[in-house]
Amino acid sequence: MSNKIKNNCFLLVLWLVIANNLTAQDLKLWYNQPAIKWTEALPLGNGRIGAMVFGGVDNDRIQFNEETLWTGEPRNYSRPGAYKYLDSIRQLLFAGKQKEAEALAWTEFMGLKSFEAEKTSWINEVIANKKYIAEGFDDSQWKKMTVPSWDGWETVGFEGLDGAVWLRKSFVLPNDWEPKDMLLDLNRIRDHDYTYVNGVLVGTQQNTEGRKYAIAKENLHKGKNTIAVLVLNFFDKGGIYGYKDTVNHIGIYPLNNEVAKISLNGEWNYYIVNDNPPAVGTFQASYQPFGDLNLKFDNTNGFINYKRELDISNAIATTSYSVNGINYKREYFISAPSQAVVTHLAANKKASINFSAILSSPHKNYTIKQLNSKTIILSLKVRNGALEGKSYLQLLLKGGSLSFSNDQLKITNADEATIYLTAGTNYKNYHDVTADPSLPCTNALESIGSKTYQQIRSAHIIEYQKWFNTFSISLGSENNKLLSTVERLKNFAHGNDPSFAALYTQYGRYLLIASSRPGTRPANLQGIWNDLLNPPWGSKYTTNINAQMNYWPAELLNLSPMHQPLFDMIDELAVTGKSTARDHYNAPGWVLHHNTDLWRGTAPINASNHGIWVTGGAWLCQHLWEHYLFTQDKNFLRQKAYPIMKEAALFFNSFLIKDPQTGYLISTPSNSPEQGGLVAGPTMDHQIIRNLFSNVIVAAKLLNTDAALTSSLSEKIKQIAPNKIGRYGQLQEWMKDIDDTTNKHRHISHLWGMYPGNEINYDDNPAMMNAAKQSLVYRGDAATGWSLGWKINCWARFKDGEHAFKMIKMLLTPVKGDAGSYPNLFDAHPPFQIDGNFGGAAGIGEMLLQSHTNYIDILPALPDAFASGEVKGICARGGFVLDIKWRNSKLQQLKIISKAGQPLLLRYNGLVKNISTVKNGIYKFDASLNKL
Ligand code: FUC
């Protein structure tokens, strides 16, 4: 090798070493193609408004949400007098009559549904016109729909369609057809059908069971025959579902000769008779999409150098490309100070910006009107509910001209364009819908006033970074930044890209800041992002794991203020939950079951086998307490947390009853989410209630109050059924030793006491810890997205970094039907559910730092893949903020700020260090925990 080459190599290596040490964190998601699917688009949010940016070149879709647009209205969710059945349900459970208990609970103990309209007259009206059944009816002018659609016609272009729809299709019987009775097999139809063949009714069903209708040979003939199906869909997914296994077609075949099936898959002609069916009662409301801004561009053919990215260091998305030698750049962000989605379009040649801006909404009931030369207004009303929305769009140009026609704004030959998109609803709070939906919009546009784009942009960055910059993480080489996010996701499980896990951690923080700023509503099942009128599980708040998981990273990863929206919701639930405690249990205090929504429903929903689960509120109280532990904010404890925790404890103080068999106090009726049915005494409940009682006791002592209550709770704690080790060495999920070691259920509820609780840990009870581990081993690794997130945290608590990392790889895997991540790194249950993002980010934090026992454990579960790295701003209980640096799997440096002056008990690799601290004191340690 020549000296020159050697020198160059040396310089290159040196440069790489320096670059690796000096490079900023890994903070960009980027792609070289526009998003086609929603889960490829990039999320933006300011806590109140959310948007998904597609970055298309000829059509750029910006789908947006406002956090208070939901179905439903303020109403009472609890069932008065339900408590009268409580004792009977308990007695049935004690007598081993689970099915009877569930049946009684279903009729007498569930919460109230929303108003359900009478259906008969509507059905009579839509079936009245019989002309569409006729064989000879000419449907050639009807439009086409692809049939079947397993997930409903919503997925084949009919989002939001509920109502009465005729679907018609012909099939041909050959000239040598010998008359035979046949079977028409359409499989599932939602919700109700009237099915005709050649004008004769062959069947009607009102359920989701398979449709197999016998067709008499007299009703068929050679040549063309016609099927006409009137589908009535009242709510949610609709249409002819067909078979989940798409190899199996819907069709018609001679009786007992399915192999001769004539397929009916394909295009059917359709006609919507009525798309306004009577309201269906629902237990809880659904989060709604708000609207779409589409930017349409001409002459984009032959574009090159396309790139879109999301820079989470400043919360700005960018799309850039070149056409005919002109470079175009669009920037998008959602400003909290300006309360608007901001889109800025620029080019490196004057007068090159030409496009149309089209504002629309998936809600059927919407209008567009022009306010002034630069502003248009979208107004909408949700179909099933009391909420209305307004969105104002204002366009400011440098150069060029603006015109409005056909509901579109047209921009011609501008040098630059800035779009401000705002949104508001009439939601004031969970019991009041009298707000003016225009107000947030007019306020926003007024505050934007004559500020320049650069001023708005800078204010946005300053506000965002105030939250984001409290924490940084790097996990080794960042060389893979050069690969697109899709490539990195594809390679992660098999490659060597630990920095991608660092990006994922920061992305979790980004998503929390985007969906849960102080003063806004908490992040729901999809954060703040939803494009569907009937989103999975209503995109609401499931409180038997999901809503809580959203907040696992909040304190640990230094986003404590983002926890605030959850506390505000708990405040409200403590009010609505009082009625449920009274109506369902004749008990004081408050209770929340396994779901809530914008209107703060707290009563049991869905079904009695899993909806009657009493510890949702108690689990939320753990978040109040943890916030105190991390921040040491006594005012918060006194004024906000303690009163609510106490009321929750008062509920359980009254609710717990003696198990006739064991004599322990137990929780019943309840369930171990969401399996095993309605039972007496699930382990998880007892762990959560113990956690609540002991936190209330410690809090009361700190606040010097309620001595009588704390002594009675202390007595009760001892009587609550304890954790037990079962015959397979497992931690028992139920009172009886009935765990099935082959059960792979996604919920690992009985591990709650280990994580996110802390009563099971290696310091206090290693045997129970081993039992918990054994339970998790039986449960296996594979799971839904959020369940993977939970298991990562569990393996971190088991101090098994390698296993935790294995599960991170499962989470950071492209979705192929099972759990993983979508191209935009949204977590896949599947479908998209954001909890896994937050659970995963928290889990990575938990591998680097734990503080749930008396100790602060440094690098407790470090996998080989994270051999070198640095984290700054990670938080521990007791009010400590830590910077940790390590190399070759060994601690190098540790810096700790003590925000509250609490004693510090550190542990690393068997070394223990105990020191006292002063408020705001800074403490540095070497690799052996010697103080520097
Ligand atoms: C719980 C989970 C489901 C899903 C739903 C939103 O019911 O069991 O997997 O995440 O919440």
Side-chain angles (χ1 to χ4, degrees):
M1 207 190 275
S2 78
N3 272 347
K4 195 171 165 198
I5 294 177
K6 267 191 204 156
N7 278 345
N8 280 348
C9 285
F10 173 75
L11 285 176
L12 180 70
V13 170
L14 188 69
W15 179 83
L16 280 176
V17 169
I18 295 171
N20 268 341
N21 284 334
L22 296 184
T23 36
Q25 298 169 76
D26 199 341
L27 296 173
K28 279 184 185 164
L29 280 69
W30 72 269
Y31 306 81
N32 38 32
Q33 263 150 15
I36 307 289
K37 293 185 184 150
W38 190 81
T39 43
E40 293 165 4
L42 292 169
L44 298 172
N46 69 358
R48 188 177 74 83
I49 306 173
M52 297 291 283
V53 178
F54 284 65
V57 175
D58 55 348
N59 181 21
D60 196 353
R61 178 179 175 208
I62 301 164
Q63 184 271 323
F64 65 99
N65 291 91
E66 200 273 358
E67 61 171 357
T68 63
L69 193 72
W70 288 61
T71 59
E73 59 195 331
R75 69 176 178 91
N76 180 24
Y77 282 70
S78 303
R79 178 184 292 264
Y83 75 90
K84 291 183 195 143
Y85 300 88
L86 177 62
D87 198 42
S88 311
I89 296 167
R90 284 176 163 168
Q91 295 314 322
L92 286 169
L93 288 174
F94 287 144
K97 297 184 174 168
Q98 186 190 53
K99 287 293 151 237
E100 290 86 339
E102 287 173 357
L104 179 63
W106 173 247
T107 53
E108 308 296 348
F109 206 76
M110 303 305 290
L112 300 180
K113 287 188 175 181
S114 60
F115 168 73
E116 171 123 9
E118 193 273 324
K119 291 197 181 90
T120 320
S121 52
W122 182 84
I123 296 176
N124 288 340
E125 188 187 315
V126 295
I127 60 174
N129 195 339
K130 298 277 190 277
K131 72 179 174 195
Y132 309 118
I133 66 176
E135 190 183 355
F137 175 78
D138 178 12
D139 58 23
S140 60
Q141 299 307 309
W142 287 10
K143 292 193 190 131
K144 312 269 184 215
M145 178 186 293
T146 305
V147 174
S149 51
W150 173 255
D151 266 331
W153 52 31
E154 288 77 4
T155 57
V156 292
F158 298 87
E159 169 57 12
L161 176 60
D162 295 326
V165 180
W166 277 102
L167 287 156
R168 287 175 53 101
K169 185 162 182 87
S170 310
F171 62 94
V172 175
L173 293 174
N175 283 338
D176 58 358
W177 180 71
E178 281 174 26
K180 290 187 195 94
D181 292 343
M182 296 186 82
L183 200 75
L184 173 63
D185 176 5
L186 299 173
N187 203 28
R188 293 174 58 195
I189 295 181
R190 289 276 298 259
D191 302 307
H192 188 163
D193 69 306
Y194 293 87
T195 299
Y196 299 82
V197 172
N198 295 332
V200 175
L201 183 68
V202 295
T204 173
Q205 265 173 245
Q206 192 168 357
N207 53 38
T208 53
E209 303 304 311
R211 266 69 168 175
K212 282 199 165 101
Y213 296 138
I215 321 290
K217 55 182 181 283
E218 297 73 27
N219 187 18
L220 295 163
H221 51 75
K222 293 173 185 170
K224 192 171 128 185
N225 294 259
T226 305
I227 299 172
V229 184
L230 177 63
V231 175
L232 307 184
N233 174 225
F234 296 95
F235 174 67
D236 206 350
K237 296 170 186 170
I240 299 177
Y241 266 39
Y243 287 93
K244 192 168 194 175
D245 174 1
T246 49
V247 173
N248 196 357
H249 285 202
I250 57 170
I252 183 159
Y253 53 88
L255 282 183
N256 306 323
N257 189 12
E258 192 170 351
V259 283
K261 188 189 275 178
I262 301 169
S263 170
L264 293 169
N265 279 22
E267 295 202 313
W268 289 48
N269 293 343
Y270 77 91
Y271 171 67
I272 301 173
V273 187
N274 183 305
D275 60 0
N276 197 15
V280 172
T282 56
F283 280 114
Q284 286 190 355
S286 298
Y287 182 47
Q288 294 292 282
F290 202 112
D292 291 277
L293 169 61
N294 278 284
L295 308 178
K296 289 198 186 294
F297 301 82
D298 293 332
N299 305 324
T300 55
N301 281 349
F303 68 87
I304 55 169
N305 299 335
Y306 178 88
K307 185 172 183 187
R308 70 184 168 103
E309 68 175 35
L310 173 63
D311 184 345
I312 60 171
S313 76
N314 59 15
I316 295 180
T318 312
T319 302
S320 54
Y321 58 93
S322 310
V323 187
N324 296 330
I326 305 174
N327 301 336
Y328 292 89
K329 184 171 178 186
R330 303 177 204 151
E331 281 190 332
Y332 327 70
F333 57 88
I334 306 188
S335 160
S338 300
Q339 285 299 315
V341 185
V342 184
T343 307
H344 182 254
L345 299 95
N348 66 348
K349 186 171 169 226
K350 281 189 179 277
S352 308
I353 309 276
N354 292 286
F355 66 98
S356 301
I358 303 155
L359 199 53
S360 65
S361 172
H363 294 276
K364 205 176 69 172
N365 193 347
Y366 88 89
T367 58
I368 301 287
K369 82 168 195 228
Q370 188 179 22
L371 178 68
N372 56 41
S373 61
K374 54 185 188 198
T375 314
I376 56 174
I377 303 176
L378 161 77
S379 308
L380 63 86
K381 172 139 185 20
V382 165
R383 186 160 74 90
N384 290 318
L387 290 175
E388 294 171 23
K390 295 260 186 212
S391 171
Y392 284 43
L393 182 152
Q394 187 171 94
L395 236 160
L396 300 181
L397 298 186
K398 229 185 224 171
S401 62
L402 186 62
S403 62
F404 177 76
S405 66
N406 297 331
D407 286 357
Q408 304 189 6
L409 282 165
K410 196 163 169 49
I411 293 82
T412 315
N413 297 340
D415 304 335
E416 265 179 48
T418 310
I419 306 170
Y420 295 104
L421 179 70
T422 64
T425 75
N426 56 327
Y427 172 89
K428 200 168 193 175
N429 57 46
Y430 68 93
H431 50 83
D432 186 345
V433 290
T434 61
D436 173 3
S438 292
L439 206 59
C441 306
T442 49
N443 283 346
L445 294 182
E446 218 167 89
S447 96
I448 289 163
S450 57
K451 289 186 191 119
T452 64
Y453 170 68
Q454 287 307 332
Q455 285 170 327
I456 301 282
R457 187 180 187 277
S458 306
H460 156 73
I461 295 175
I462 290 168
E463 188 272 348
Y464 170 74
Q465 291 186 340
K466 179 172 83 190
W467 316 116
F468 187 74
N469 287 356
T470 54
F471 172 96
S472 69
I473 181 167
S474 52
L475 294 174
S477 155
E478 285 152 17
N479 295 343
N480 287 306
K481 282 203 267 199
L482 301 175
L483 296 177
S484 76
T485 302
V486 172
E487 285 292 306
R488 292 180 79 177
L489 182 61
K490 204 163 74 195
N491 299 343
F492 183 75
H494 314 287
N496 176 19
D497 188 5
S499 187
F500 197 52
L503 171 66
Y504 190 80
T505 312
Q506 285 288 35
Y507 189 51
R509 295 182 72 246
Y510 167 84
L511 293 172
L512 194 62
I513 301 170
S515 58
S516 184
R517 292 274 218 298
T520 68
R521 259 42 49 187
N524 63 43
L525 281 175
Q526 298 186 181
I528 192 170
W529 300 279
N530 167 37
D531 64 331
L532 302 173
L533 292 164
N534 286 305
W537 296 285
S539 189
K540 46 190 192 292
Y541 301 94
T542 305
T543 45
N544 64 16
I545 172 69
N546 319 85
Q548 289 90 343
M549 183 178 279
N550 285 359
Y551 288 89
W552 286 355
E555 303 293 337
L556 178 67
L557 303 185
N558 214 336
L559 287 177
S560 189
M562 307 303 138
H563 220 159
Q564 210 61 48
L566 185 72
F567 305 148
D568 295 340
M569 180 164 88
I570 300 173
D571 262 349
E572 298 172 350
L573 292 168
V575 178
T576 53
K578 241 179 164 5
S579 322
T580 306
R582 190 190 56 230
D583 291 340
H584 288 251
Y585 302 96
N586 197 21
W590 69 281
V591 63
L592 163 67
H593 293 83
H594 94 299
N595 260 281
T596 190
D597 61 5
L598 184 72
W599 313 108
R600 308 307 184 226
T602 48
I605 72 161
N606 289 4
S608 59
N609 64 357
H610 69 275
I612 302 170
W613 175 75
V614 284
T615 38
W619 186 343
L620 287 173
C621 286
Q622 188 218 18
H623 284 250
L624 297 169
W625 177 244
E626 293 275 309
H627 180 72
Y628 165 72
L629 289 182
F630 275 93
T631 60
Q632 299 290 307
D633 179 348
K634 241 190 192 165
N635 280 336
F636 170 83
L637 184 65
R638 182 175 297 110
Q639 283 153 20
K640 190 139 179 163
Y642 180 73
I644 292 176
M645 290 162 61
K646 176 181 162 183
E647 287 289 311
L650 287 176
F651 171 79
F652 289 102
N653 195 31
S654 141
F655 170 79
L656 288 171
I657 65 159
K658 210 174 211 178
D659 175 21
Q661 279 185 24
T662 62
Y664 286 124
L665 287 180
I666 61 164
S667 165
T668 180
S670 194
N671 74 97
S672 192
E674 296 170 10
Q675 52 162 344
L678 194 63
V679 295
T683 297
M684 177 194 228
D685 279 11
H686 301 146
Q687 295 172 344
I688 295 178
I689 297 166
R690 262 195 301 273
N691 180 273
L692 172 69
F693 282 7
S694 44
N695 296 343
V696 167
I697 293 167
V698 180
K701 285 193 182 135
L702 279 168
L703 300 173
N704 203 7
T705 183
D706 290 332
L709 173 69
T710 55
S711 73
S712 105
L713 293 183
S714 307
E715 273 314 301
K716 282 221 161 152
I717 280 194
K718 293 184 211 148
Q719 298 166 37
I720 297 175
N723 293 315
K724 272 167 74 181
I725 300 175
R727 62 194 153 143
Y728 302 112
Q730 89 285 12
L731 170 59
Q732 279 182 211
E733 185 159 2
W734 289 280
M735 291 292 288
K736 296 210 170 94
D737 190 1
I738 52 170
D739 296 69
D740 171 359
T741 56
T742 64
N743 179 357
K744 304 289 176 207
H745 201 272
R746 60 196 178 281
H747 284 267
I748 48 171
S749 306
H750 48 318
L751 269 61
W752 194 96
M754 200 275 299
Y755 186 94
N758 64 348
E759 67 175 20
I760 303 176
N761 62 67
Y762 282 129
D763 293 324
D764 296 332
N765 40 18
M768 201 57 76
M769 195 66 174
N770 289 336
K773 191 165 165 182
Q774 185 60 63
S775 289
L776 191 56
V777 169
Y778 286 136
R779 234 17 169 234
D781 292 338
T784 59
W786 61 257
S787 183
L788 294 177
W790 194 349
K791 290 174 184 175
I792 294 168
N793 285 279
C794 291
W795 285 110
R797 289 257 168 118
F798 292 132
K799 311 237 190 298
D800 187 338
E802 294 310 324
H803 205 129
F805 186 63
K806 178 182 175 209
M807 312 250 22
I808 293 172
K809 290 197 272 191
M810 293 172 73
L811 190 60
L812 281 171
T813 292
V815 182
K816 288 192 206 80
D818 290 339
S821 298
Y822 292 103
N824 63 2
L825 302 189
F826 269 178
D827 159 58
H829 181 288
F832 162 53
Q833 208 173 283
I834 204 153
D835 37 23
N837 285 97
F838 295 133
I844 294 170
E846 201 70 23
M847 291 160 78
L848 306 178
L849 179 79
Q850 290 175 19
S851 63
H852 58 288
T853 61
N854 291 333
Y855 298 90
I856 294 180
D857 283 303
I858 310 296
L859 304 177
L862 198 64
D864 288 347
F866 296 169
S868 295
E870 181 165 17
V871 62
K872 289 185 175 176
I874 194 164
C875 298
R877 293 166 185 85
F880 299 103
V881 184
L882 292 87
D883 294 353
I884 311 169
K885 190 171 180 181
W886 66 99
R887 288 288 172 276
N888 303 322
S889 304
K890 298 252 169 351
L891 175 66
Q892 263 196 343
Q893 275 172 36
L894 181 60
K895 180 180 139 194
I896 302 182
I897 302 175
S898 169
K899 291 201 302 195
Q902 292 293 320
L904 176 63
L905 183 56
L906 285 176
R907 182 162 59 182
Y908 169 66
N909 210 13
L911 301 168
V912 171
K913 185 87 182 176
N914 194 352
I915 63 164
S916 53
T917 72
V918 294
K919 196 168 170 178
N920 295 325
I922 299 179
Y923 305 86
K924 292 186 179 163
F925 303 87
D926 67 11
S928 308
L929 296 190
N930 295 315
K931 212 159 146 233
L932 297 174

